[in-house]
Every structure is written in C-alpha cells, then in structure tokens.
Amino acid sequence: MILGNVHSLETMGMVDGPGIRVVVFLQGCRLRCLFCHNPDTWQEQGGTQMTPEEVTRKVLRCRPYFSRGGGVTFSGGEPLLQPEFLLETLQLCKKAGIHTCLDTAGYGCGSYDEILQYTDLVLYDVKQITEESYHCMTGQSLTETTHFLAAVKKAGTPVWVRHVVVPGLTDGEAHMQALRTFIDKKVPNVQKVELLPYHLLGVHKYKVLGIPYRLAGTPAMDPSLTEQWQRCYFPVNKGERNPTPEQTGGTVK
C-alpha cells in the first residue's frame, strides 16, 4: 500500500491554477529558498499519512466547485519528492475527470515522464536564473530543475511560470529583462507568467520552528511596483481570464 505524507489540504484555493481548486500540500523539499514561507513542509517525514484513494475521495467531495474550470493542485514542499504517491493520486484524479495541476520547482527524484502524462498544467517556480544566483537562493544547483524542464518539453505540458520578486534579489529592470530572456530560452510551453511580490506572512513559522530567518530585515515587496513590471515585461490583456482546463489540455466534468 502506498502512503504519502500530506501536510494539509486547502479546499477553496483561488490562486493555484484555473478556477476553484483543492490544493494538496505534500511534505518534503530539497530546496532551502531564502524566501520560503512553508519551512514546516521541508521534512518529508511529517504531516498526515494518507493513501492516494483517501486524497482522491477528499478531492471528489469538492467536484461541484469545479464546474467553472477548477480541479486539484499538488503543491508542497516539493510534490515531486513523493513520486509514487503523486503518480497514483494523479491517475485516480484523471480517471475521475478532474483537472490536475502540479505546483513545483522541478526538483524531485529525476523521473518525471509518467507523472507528466497525468498532469494537465504545471505551475513552475523560477527561483533564480543563473547557476550562481540559484545556488545562493536555494542551496542547490540548476541541474535537476533543468532536467525537469526537458521532461516538460517532451511531454508538451502547458506551463504557467511564477517568480517571487524579492527586494534586492529578484527585482529591478535589469533582472526583469534577464528573467524574460531566461523564460523565452529555457522554459517550454509557457502560457503565462506571474510575478509574485515577496511577503512576510511566513516569518513567524521560523520562530516557532527555531530556524534562523535569513532574509530578516528585508521588507515586503511593493505590490504596485511588481504590477508595473508585470505589465511591462509579462503583460496580460485587461480582463483576461485564466485559461480553462480545455485550453490547458484537461477535462471538465
């Protein structure tokens, strides 16, 4: 019997893919991003152990909310670190006609092809854009996430890029231009790019867990400035709605 370590489930997610979604947060992450607001998901051995069938039943309870293009999003932590559990749960959700989304930094265990067969949409987190800056931001190399992007390209899975804008680290005109170039050259199948302003909502978790917060003193990012860069470098037409599951290769039931 396959068991997964589930941190939590959010049943009315509005920002993790198209429509209203169930968001399944899985335990475990190899990255230690400076801006991480979920340090409580770093350790894989934690949360609640659940079977793929148990998770799928909870997702199906919310099916009435999916009529306008919702579904399930697997997040974390890094969901790819529990590949067997993730794959079986994705298969069950797809069999039930549920649109599936993966919120990931692309930093799992190196085997992604089968998982992507059952993934309708990837929310891909661009942490940084050079080997040096990526290592400084996450403590890891770009190698594994580059491997993941190659698998996404092969699978043809649609991608929404997300990038956290941190004052002094991932902000400014020069960075936005370099980010635009990186995405154009390195990230396949991109449908949209979302800039997310850095916030301080998760700082209290570090105190509770006794973990030093390495961005102490860094202010929250100005949302209006982030929005200006969004309009300039990654414009979205006014009034544009998120793509439906049909547009992202999924199924509405």
Side-chain angles (χ1 to χ4, degrees):
M1 180 176 61
I2 295 176
L3 290 173
N5 293 314
V6 178
H7 175 272
S8 58
L9 285 89
E10 180 181 338
T11 58
M12 295 289 285
M14 301 289 288
V15 296
D16 298 287
I20 299 174
R21 311 189 69 80
V22 176
V23 186
V24 183
F25 295 92
L26 301 184
Q27 288 286 145
C29 188
R30 291 166 58 192
L31 305 183
R32 294 295 181 266
C33 300
L34 296 178
F35 56 77
C36 180
H37 60 274
N38 287 325
D40 44 330
T41 66
W42 288 351
Q43 302 304 317
E44 187 172 335
Q45 301 304 319
T48 302
Q49 286 198 325
M50 300 178 68
T51 66
E53 292 79 9
E54 287 174 323
V55 172
T56 303
R57 283 196 293 270
K58 289 182 178 293
V59 172
L60 290 177
R61 291 174 189 168
C62 298
R63 191 199 294 271
Y65 299 111
F66 301 160
S67 60
R68 296 186 179 182
V72 59
T73 297
F74 294 90
S75 185
E78 173 52 76
L80 292 171
L81 283 182
Q82 299 190 52
E84 293 182 358
F85 173 78
L86 176 63
L87 175 59
E88 186 163 324
T89 312
L90 284 169
Q91 290 172 330
L92 291 171
C93 289
K94 288 303 299 173
K95 185 176 181 180
I98 303 300
H99 179 265
T100 58
C101 180
L102 194 61
D103 182 3
T104 177
Y107 229 93
C109 301
S111 180
Y112 307 115
D113 292 347
E114 194 170 7
I115 285 172
L116 289 170
Q117 289 180 26
Y118 298 93
T119 302
D120 294 316
L121 176 66
V122 170
L123 302 183
Y124 177 66
D125 300 320
V126 173
K127 303 299 185 180
Q128 262 290 14
I129 57 178
T130 68
E131 180 63 41
E132 181 181 4
S133 63
Y134 193 92
H135 187 271
C136 289
M137 178 67 77
T138 70
Q140 297 287 352
S141 164
L142 271 168
T143 303
E144 185 61 38
T145 193
T146 301
H147 177 61
F148 172 75
L149 289 177
V152 171
K153 182 177 181 179
K154 178 182 176 182
T157 311
V159 174
W160 292 6
V161 171
R162 306 211 287 188
H163 183 65
V164 178
V165 183
V166 183
L169 290 177
T170 57
D171 63 341
E173 300 289 340
H175 178 80
M176 293 303 153
Q177 183 59 60
L179 176 64
R180 172 82 268 178
T181 300
F182 175 86
I183 292 171
D184 289 344
K185 291 184 176 181
K186 302 293 186 179
V187 186
N189 317 325
V190 176
Q191 292 189 336
K192 64 186 292 187
V193 178
E194 297 177 302
L195 299 179
L196 308 176
Y198 166 75
H199 59 71
L200 305 176
L201 298 179
V203 174
H204 71 283
K205 296 181 181 180
Y206 287 80
K207 296 180 181 179
V208 172
L209 294 170
I211 302 172
Y213 188 63
R214 291 175 292 164
L215 287 184
T218 300
M221 188 65 212
D222 181 355
S224 63
L225 186 54
T226 305
E227 186 176 343
Q228 289 179 34
W229 286 325
Q230 178 81 56
R231 290 196 304 266
C232 180
Y233 291 95
F234 309 100
V236 177
N237 293 331
K238 186 176 182 180
E240 180 179 324
R241 298 174 62 89
N242 285 341
T244 65
E246 292 97 328
Q247 292 170 320
T248 58
T251 303
V252 177
K253 184 170 182 176

